[in-house]
Amino acid sequence: MRLSRAKVNHLSRLLVDSIDEHPDAWLNRENNTVRLAIVTILQEELRRDELIDRKVRQKIQSQKRDIPEGGREWELLFRQFYREEFDKYRPVRG
């Protein structure tokens, strides 16, 4: 999914505002610092999603027979391959 820089910035502001409004939340940093960290994370996730999408489409295209995009089989393969690729790029949490 592609999002413009303006949309990513808007989402980051909404998230910071939402965190700031929560009664149990507190930000020990300046809000803009937190917002910039959110922007960085969103951009990394979007880049990862685009990479996975390209790899999945390449896998589908490399099948022995032609599988038209938008068909049921294509959708099922896309979901299956996406899950496999996503698991490869998921950060390991300790």
Side-chain angles (χ1 to χ4, degrees):
M1 170 190 291
R2 295 201 181 239
L3 293 178
S4 68
R5 182 177 175 89
K7 287 182 182 179
V8 169
N9 285 328
H10 178 70
L11 284 172
S12 69
R13 283 188 204 96
L14 290 175
L15 287 167
V16 167
D17 290 347
S18 178
I19 292 168
D20 221 15
E21 291 172 1
H22 194 281
D24 296 332
W26 56 273
L27 297 175
N28 62 354
R29 300 181 192 156
E30 186 180 327
N31 283 359
N32 195 51
T33 303
V34 173
R35 189 190 66 76
L36 291 174
I38 291 170
V39 166
T40 300
I41 291 167
L42 286 172
Q43 289 173 335
E44 288 171 1
E45 289 298 312
L46 290 168
R47 275 192 293 274
R48 181 183 62 143
D49 187 59
E50 286 178 17
L51 173 68
I52 291 171
D53 186 83
R54 276 195 310 273
K55 287 185 173 214
V56 167
R57 289 174 183 279
Q58 288 171 352
K59 275 186 170 183
I60 293 172
Q61 289 173 352
S62 70
Q63 300 298 306
K64 290 183 180 179
R65 57 189 173 76
D66 186 39
I67 302 169
E69 185 172 346
R72 179 169 165 73
E73 183 179 12
W74 191 93
E75 294 292 333
L76 290 171
L77 284 174
F78 186 90
R79 278 189 238 139
Q80 175 189 344
F81 292 156
Y82 190 93
R83 224 179 353 245
E84 291 170 3
E85 289 296 321
F86 182 83
D87 288 345
K88 291 179 188 177
Y89 290 94
R90 186 180 346 180
V92 177
R93 310 232 179 210

